[in-house]
Amino acid sequence: DGGITQSPKYLFRKEGQNVTLSCEQNLNHDAMYWYRQDPGQGLRLIYYSQIVNDFQKGDIAEGYSVSREKKESFPLTVTSAQKNPTAFYLCASRTGTAVSPLHFGNGTRLTVT
Amino acid sequence: KQEVTQIPAALSVPEGENLVLNCSFTDSAIYNLQWFRQDPGKGLTSLLLIQSSQREQTSGRLNASLDKSSGRSTLYIAASQPGDSATYLCAVEAAGNKLTFGGGTRVLVKP
């Protein structure tokens, strides 16, 4: 059963700690994305990767880091430099073409206190 | 910079009524426009994708239109059902494989 798996579903951290969110896909998709969603707002792009070992900053990359060592995996690290890390984080993927729809995972809700 | 707006932010209709959801965007130089559905606490599910050369797409009770020149798209859901209650988001894609999302319309279909 193909899809995108994000784990964990809920994550709690203390301020000042780095935390890594997992995203794995078995859809054989080339492109992967990380979005952040805040209440009542649309999704904002953090980072995206169109191919293994390559990634680009999105609109709100400050305080975040990613890696793309394998096609299936695109983990996101929320660092202590991110000023407002509490949010709902969504991972997505698609084939490399602009005419293919995005497939999303079920998200990770991060709470930092 | 591309901006995508969805009005209204929330909508409530009785079961059986047709739903009309609006999406507007500021830059008409887009590759495609997508409509998504999001249930509470979940990820997004792609409903329809309209390429820039197309005027509309249909899937079952859903029909989406695209007017690039006016920067508008409309999602029609015929004969709404309580199971259609969700948040609907639109997103436009321009150069660079980047999508810009609207804030969504939260829909409640009352039995």
Side-chain angles (χ1 to χ4, degrees), chain A residues 37 42 50 59 94 98 104-105, chain B residues 32 38 43-44 93 96-98 102:
Chain A
Q37 186 175 34
Q50 299 185 60
D59 299 319
R94 67 173 181 182
F104 280 84
Chain B
N32 63 58
Q38 185 177 30
L44 280 67
E93 180 170 1
N97 272 330
K98 293 172 64 173

Side-chain angles (χ1 to χ4, degrees), chain A residues 34-112:
Chain A
W34 273 106
Y35 290 92
R36 168 183 173 139
Q37 186 175 34
D38 294 284
Q41 298 189 31
L43 280 66
R44 292 184 289 168
L45 181 65
I46 305 173
Y47 269 97
Y48 65 106
S49 168
Q50 299 185 60
I51 196 169
V52 175
N53 292 322
D54 186 47
F55 48 82
Q56 289 79 40
K57 292 181 179 180
D59 299 319
I60 56 165
E62 185 176 351
Y64 299 97
S65 66
V66 294
S67 63
R68 187 83 188 276
E69 297 176 0
K70 298 187 300 182
K71 188 175 186 178
E72 303 80 18
S73 180
F74 191 41
L76 173 74
T77 297
V78 184
T79 75
S80 57
Q82 167 52 230
K83 300 300 182 189
N84 297 295
T86 295
F88 189 48
Y89 290 87
L90 287 159
C91 178
S93 72
R94 67 173 181 182
T95 66
T97 66
V99 297
S100 63
L102 273 179
H103 296 256
F104 280 84
N106 275 328
T108 291
R109 186 165 299 279
L110 173 65
T111 302
V112 177

